Amino acid sequence: MAVITAVDTFDIRFPTSLSLDGSDAMNPDPDYSAAYVTITTDAGDGLTGHAFVFTIGRGNDVEVAAIRALRDHLEGADVDALLADMGRAARLLTHDSQLRWLGPEKGVMHMAIGAVLDALWDLRAKRAGEPLWLHLSRLSAEELVSVVDFRYLTDALTETEALEILRAAEPGRQERIRQLQAIGYPAYTTTPGWLGYSDDKLARLCREAVADGFPQIKLKVGADLDEDRRRLRIARENVPAGFPIAIDANQRWGVDEAIEWIRGVAEFDPAWVEEPTSPDDVLAHAAIARAVAPVRIATGEHVQNRIVFKQLLQAEGMAVMQIDATRVGGVNENIAHLLLAAKFGVPVCPHAGGVGLCEAVQHLAMFDFVAVSGSMDGRMIEFVDHLHEHFVTPVQVRRGRYLAPSSPGAGTEMLPASIAAHLWHEPVPATAEAPA
Amino acid sequence: MAVITAVDTFDIRFPTSLSLDGSDAMNPDPDYSAAYVTITTDAGDGLTGHAFVFTIGRGNDVEVAAIRALRDHLEGADVDALLADMGRAARLLTHDSQLRWLGPEKGVMHMAIGAVLDALWDLRAKRAGEPLWLHLSRLSAEELVSVVDFRYLTDALTETEALEILRAAEPGRQERIRQLQAIGYPAYTTTPGWLGYSDDKLARLCREAVADGFPQIKLKVGADLDEDRRRLRIARENVPAGFPIAIDANQRWGVDEAIEWIRGVAEFDPAWVEEPTSPDDVLAHAAIARAVAPVRIATGEHVQNRIVFKQLLQAEGMAVMQIDATRVGGVNENIAHLLLAAKFGVPVCPHAGGVGLCEAVQHLAMFDFVAVSGSMDGRMIEFVDHLHEHFVTPVQVRRGRYLAPSSPGAGTEMLPASIAAHLWHEPVPATAEAPA
């Protein structure tokens, strides 16, 4: 029997706040960071599982502490048994009755569980010698359903319905795998649109995005309406007529403000309006979506779990689902999201950027194309050209498309030199004594 | 100028899983714990602020790490300025743009912010020489509104409406203060109802609760319907006809299962059904509430923030609001909850138990009576007779009522000897090196 011999964690931070790359209305100065985990076994195959939670700086140490809190479930565990039943692996962590109190299934603890599960998926795909998207795309409908937790989902999606969705997509899997390997998957770029760029830089980056073959760009908005209208006008003047421009408010507004603001930019025909308000506010999303139709509302990068995604779909508050690779309970929960989106007929356009999110989430979108939705129509993965050089298998984006990864694993392994160079050290806090 | 000189944290755990006290369908073996924080200043008044996040064991260290991540905002800060504007203090912590990524406003990081704010409130009330409930009850409507974050609330409650609610309750504040000091506030007890107790013990504890003067008891349910019916029958046989018995499912069910289960116990006339499903699932609560009416649905101990409470009220998914003292962004956010409940005409019956939750939350319920709802009708605070002996000013419950605290502070200070005796030590993890 092979067992897990070590679960190691690393607090990795990049000083991205020194430039204005990545700035938006709610996140003015992010330091892109990874609470990183490696899983080592005594299998003797030389393979390790790697994954991370993406954060934007302060608090990365808290996320590392949360991953460490899971080690007792893993170290010494039979790794073959864990990898063979990833549904059980997820329950082992998510259903820890004491840790559950810290969520349940949300925030720091849930993201930590996601990272550990993703490290297991990385290891499993490496063992199979397949990139994760292909590995998932070759699993049976029954195996895929077995990794999903249907608790709190069945009023919208039952196990039987999930099986039907997956079985309906079984014919053509091989053809779609070949298609992906031949032409890749559409990408859109947020590079032109960060707040804080000069007008000239905005105009130039818009033109470059079109020239580079991207089918859509996205601009950050929400700090000032007049300024947003001015920047949207510049963007429109620097792309072809009818070119899709999405906008992203990063949760800036309440309901009335969102409606007013979106109406104020509607003439620029936004491809979607992203995160108009709190990711927790299903009813607000629904109210905004009704008021601004046919403008489409997109959200998801901060949606905490499948239960909130389910409600956003039930309430028709979201027309584009933006899954995030490291916000939720790992690949397992993201498969639930893909199934929910397919059930409700909503396209999935993953959130990416940060550090490693592009590398991770492309596998989920490609798996969706092969085995769940079976479609690329209206679907694309966000792309930001940041920090890819730190990964063993960085994304390859050509002419506005992600090329299908061919290396084994989940894409989530960083280079040892990058880890070593960006390891963040803080003085160990002195243990406080009980007050006298 | 006086400044904060230290923010110290303590990982305090009680081995409560060794008994079956506190066991329910989702939490079979809790070890009641506190991620505890003290705030020290150089004001020379000898006063320190104390507060905590309640957890149930594993992960208490993660919560401590989250509190530590807030120290840089506090150490060296002008304490008089912070205490004079608690709205600004809350924004300082909640709006840290990097830490916000770990929520936003939910889970481990949000609870940590709540503990720090509560320690400041404890210090502020001690400086005023007043118990927190009385201190809050003497603030002007404007001051109270200034501590609330109305972002994402205004579609249900505006600042103006909040002012109106508070002003409407201003006449009679003095009379209600006297009333509280004379007769206290109603309590109900969960002591009889934990899963795992023998039938004889259940029957005896029901009789004792009635004899002790409690106006309501509560039973845990949700593990097995036949067993729940049997236990409810025993409870009914041991209390007077018509005596209120609430039941608590601790998030056990999906929508259909909840409806079926609640109909299966409706003949026992539950005073409310608590946490029928996921605390994140607003639409499920609404569907269940519609289906089982007039049975009342209660929830809140796991509700992550004011945004979810707002929606539960908007969707009519909750007829009883059960605020928790340490789940959310401190006293500030709980004042938002009290205002929302008053706006929607829903009674607040706080969750308590654990360690120190009774001590903390009584202040909020009493403040609600004096200055917000102005009513005790249908309102009561949960009471569990656990671990009070570890507090400097333990709750006093007599004849089924919480006596109004008279000592200065928020009730959240533990005895130094208790802290020292229950400090939890784990080997310091070795710092992992970057992989070769």
Side-chain angles (χ1 to χ4, degrees):
Chain A
M1 179 178 99
V3 301
I4 292 176
T5 52
V7 178
D8 291 313
T9 55
F10 306 88
D11 184 339
I12 300 167
R13 308 194 193 190
F14 299 92
T16 47
S17 63
L18 301 180
S19 74
L20 281 176
D21 300 342
S23 65
D24 64 49
M26 293 295 262
N27 308 297
D29 58 350
D31 288 315
Y32 287 167
S33 302
Y36 194 86
V37 58
T38 61
I39 293 179
T40 308
T41 79
D42 63 4
D45 55 8
L47 300 175
T48 47
H50 295 244
F52 56 87
V53 176
F54 168 61
T55 83
I56 61 173
R58 285 185 293 281
N60 203 50
D61 48 328
V62 180
E63 199 59 66
V64 168
I67 296 171
R68 285 185 179 154
L70 297 165
R71 286 186 307 187
D72 287 348
H73 284 297
L74 297 164
E75 289 179 351
D78 177 342
V79 66
D80 303 303
L82 272 181
L83 296 183
D85 186 351
M86 287 295 293
R88 193 178 71 85
R91 287 190 297 276
L92 179 74
L93 304 176
T94 309
H95 293 188
D96 177 310
S97 64
Q98 294 189 351
L99 292 176
R100 190 178 181 280
W101 190 267
L102 302 179
E105 298 190 65
K106 62 180 65 76
V108 166
M109 203 65 235
H110 198 48
M111 293 191 272
I113 289 170
V116 167
L117 290 173
D118 287 351
L120 290 173
W121 280 108
D122 180 54
L123 179 57
R124 179 170 146 149
K126 284 172 175 166
R127 283 182 161 204
E130 296 168 324
L132 180 65
W133 70 270
L134 185 62
H135 181 66
L136 294 173
S137 298
R138 286 177 171 161
L139 298 182
S140 71
E142 288 74 13
E143 277 178 283
L144 289 168
V145 160
S146 77
V147 309
V148 170
D149 186 350
F150 284 88
R151 177 173 274 185
Y152 309 132
L153 282 192
T154 53
D155 54 322
L157 178 74
T158 64
E159 205 167 317
T160 306
E161 290 172 312
L163 281 171
E164 285 165 6
I165 289 167
L166 293 166
R167 285 188 185 131
E170 276 177 356
R173 276 192 188 190
Q174 275 311 315
E175 172 51 32
R176 288 191 291 275
I177 288 171
R178 279 191 294 272
Q179 196 179 337
L180 266 182
Q181 289 169 330
I183 65 165
Y185 195 101
Y188 76 91
T189 175
T190 312
T191 300
W194 301 109
L195 296 181
Y197 283 178
S198 71
D199 291 356
D200 284 350
K201 187 169 181 180
L202 168 60
R204 176 172 58 78
L205 292 174
C206 287
R207 291 193 302 273
E208 286 178 8
V210 174
D212 287 346
F214 288 102
Q216 178 175 304
I217 60 172
K218 190 168 78 184
L219 266 60
K220 300 288 182 175
V221 298
D224 179 281
L225 177 56
D226 289 335
E227 181 67 8
D228 289 344
R229 290 174 49 85
R230 210 176 56 75
R231 291 171 60 250
L232 275 163
R233 190 170 294 116
I234 293 170
R236 273 271 163 252
E237 288 167 358
N238 285 278
V239 299
F243 188 86
I245 303 177
I247 60 175
D248 182 357
N250 289 90
Q251 312 167 28
R252 186 74 182 201
W253 306 314
V255 173
D256 291 344
E257 196 183 5
I259 293 169
E260 194 184 326
W261 205 295
I262 294 168
R263 287 178 177 160
V265 297
E267 69 184 275
F268 300 101
D269 189 23
W272 68 57
V273 180
E274 184 170 326
E275 289 204 308
T277 190
S278 164
D280 306 346
D281 204 334
V282 171
L283 299 181
H285 277 82
I288 295 165
R290 278 193 303 273
V292 303
V295 176
R296 297 189 307 163
I297 302 300
T299 196
E301 72 179 80
H302 273 88
V303 166
Q304 67 203 34
N305 58 34
R306 70 197 179 285
I307 304 159
V308 176
F309 267 132
K310 178 192 72 168
Q311 293 176 83
L312 285 164
L313 292 165
Q314 289 173 315
E316 300 181 10
M318 175 185 70
V320 179
M321 178 190 279
Q322 301 179 298
I323 61 169
D324 181 279
T326 80
R327 171 69 54 189
V328 300
V331 167
N332 299 60
E333 192 162 35
N334 266 320
I335 293 175
H337 299 158
L338 298 177
L339 289 164
L340 281 166
K343 165 77 189 286
F344 284 85
V346 160
V348 175
C349 296
H351 170 248
V355 55
L357 295 181
C358 299
E359 277 70 17
V361 88
Q362 61 178 339
H363 290 272
L364 296 165
M366 292 180 190
F367 160 67
D368 177 65
F369 171 65
V370 175
V372 187
S373 74
S375 172
M376 286 190 207
D377 291 351
R379 288 154 172 94
M380 57 193 96
I381 306 168
E382 186 165 19
F383 176 64
V384 187
D385 200 3
H386 282 167
L387 306 174
H388 302 294
E389 65 275 20
H390 299 294
F391 285 82
V392 174
T393 55
V395 289
Q396 297 189 64
V397 171
R398 301 281 181 276
R399 298 293 310 152
R401 298 181 83 90
Y402 279 79
L403 305 190
S406 55
S407 303
T412 40
E413 183 172 348
M414 291 183 76
L415 293 166
S418 289
I419 295 175
H422 295 278
L423 213 48
W424 189 78
H425 294 286
E426 157 176 73
V428 175
T431 303
E433 298 297 319
Chain B
M1 180 178 97
V3 301
I4 292 175
T5 52
V7 177
D8 291 312
T9 54
F10 307 87
D11 184 339
I12 300 167
R13 308 195 193 190
F14 299 92
T16 46
S17 63
L18 301 181
S19 73
L20 281 176
D21 299 342
S23 66
D24 63 48
M26 294 293 263
N27 308 297
D29 58 349
D31 288 314
Y32 287 168
S33 301
Y36 193 87
V37 58
T38 62
I39 294 180
T40 309
T41 79
D42 62 4
D45 55 8
L47 300 175
T48 48
H50 295 244
F52 56 88
V53 177
F54 168 62
T55 83
I56 61 173
R58 285 185 294 281
N60 203 50
D61 48 331
V62 180
E63 201 59 65
V64 167
I67 296 171
R68 285 184 179 158
L70 297 164
R71 286 185 306 185
D72 287 348
H73 284 297
L74 298 164
E75 289 178 350
D78 177 342
V79 65
D80 303 306
L82 273 181
L83 296 183
D85 187 351
M86 286 296 293
R88 193 178 73 83
R91 289 191 297 276
L92 179 75
L93 304 176
T94 309
H95 293 189
D96 178 310
S97 64
Q98 294 189 350
L99 292 176
R100 189 178 181 279
W101 190 268
L102 302 180
E105 299 191 64
K106 61 180 69 73
V108 166
M109 202 65 235
H110 197 47
M111 292 191 273
I113 288 170
V116 167
L117 289 173
D118 287 351
L120 290 172
W121 280 109
D122 180 54
L123 179 57
R124 179 170 148 149
K126 285 171 175 166
R127 282 180 161 206
E130 296 168 324
L132 180 64
W133 71 269
L134 186 61
H135 182 65
L136 294 173
S137 298
R138 286 176 171 163
L139 298 183
S140 71
E142 288 74 14
E143 278 178 284
L144 289 167
V145 159
S146 78
V147 309
V148 171
D149 187 349
F150 283 88
R151 176 172 276 185
Y152 309 133
L153 282 192
T154 54
D155 56 320
L157 178 74
T158 65
E159 205 167 317
T160 307
E161 289 172 314
L163 281 171
E164 285 165 6
I165 289 166
L166 292 166
R167 284 184 187 134
E170 277 177 356
R173 276 192 187 189
Q174 276 311 317
E175 172 50 33
R176 288 192 292 276
I177 288 171
R178 279 191 294 271
Q179 197 179 338
L180 266 181
Q181 288 169 329
I183 65 165
Y185 196 100
Y188 76 91
T189 176
T190 312
T191 300
W194 302 107
L195 296 180
Y197 284 178
S198 70
D199 291 357
D200 284 350
K201 186 169 182 181
L202 167 61
R204 176 173 56 79
L205 291 174
C206 286
R207 290 193 301 272
E208 286 177 9
V210 174
D212 287 346
F214 288 102
Q216 178 176 304
I217 59 171
K218 189 168 79 185
L219 266 59
K220 301 288 183 175
V221 299
D224 180 280
L225 178 55
D226 289 336
E227 181 68 6
D228 289 344
R229 290 174 49 84
R230 209 176 55 76
R231 290 170 60 252
L232 275 164
R233 190 169 295 117
I234 292 169
R236 274 271 163 250
E237 288 166 0
N238 285 278
V239 299
F243 188 85
I245 303 177
I247 59 175
D248 182 356
N250 289 91
Q251 311 167 30
R252 186 76 181 199
W253 305 314
V255 173
D256 290 345
E257 196 184 6
I259 293 168
E260 192 185 326
W261 205 295
I262 294 169
R263 287 176 177 160
V265 297
E267 69 184 274
F268 301 101
D269 189 23
W272 68 58
V273 179
E274 184 170 325
E275 288 204 305
T277 189
S278 164
D280 305 346
D281 204 334
V282 171
L283 299 181
H285 277 83
I288 295 164
R290 279 193 302 274
V292 305
V295 175
R296 298 189 307 162
I297 302 300
T299 194
E301 71 178 79
H302 272 87
V303 167
Q304 65 202 35
N305 58 34
R306 69 197 180 285
I307 304 160
V308 176
F309 267 131
K310 178 193 71 168
Q311 294 175 83
L312 284 164
L313 291 165
Q314 289 173 313
E316 300 182 8
M318 175 184 70
V320 178
M321 178 190 280
Q322 301 180 298
I323 61 169
D324 180 280
T326 81
R327 170 69 55 188
V328 300
V331 167
N332 299 61
E333 193 162 34
N334 266 322
I335 292 175
H337 299 158
L338 299 177
L339 288 164
L340 281 166
K343 166 78 188 286
F344 284 84
V346 160
V348 175
C349 296
H351 170 247
V355 55
L357 295 180
C358 299
E359 277 71 16
V361 89
Q362 61 178 339
H363 290 272
L364 296 165
M366 291 180 191
F367 160 67
D368 177 66
F369 170 65
V370 175
V372 189
S373 74
S375 172
M376 286 189 206
D377 291 350
R379 289 153 171 94
M380 57 194 97
I381 306 168
E382 187 166 18
F383 176 64
V384 187
D385 200 4
H386 283 167
L387 306 173
H388 303 293
E389 65 276 19
H390 299 293
F391 285 82
V392 173
T393 55
V395 290
Q396 297 189 64
V397 172
R398 301 281 181 278
R399 296 294 308 153
R401 300 181 83 90
Y402 279 79
L403 305 190
S406 56
S407 302
T412 40
E413 182 172 349
M414 291 182 74
L415 294 166
S418 290
I419 295 175
H422 295 279
L423 213 48
W424 190 76
H425 295 285
E426 157 177 72
V428 175
T431 303
E433 297 298 320

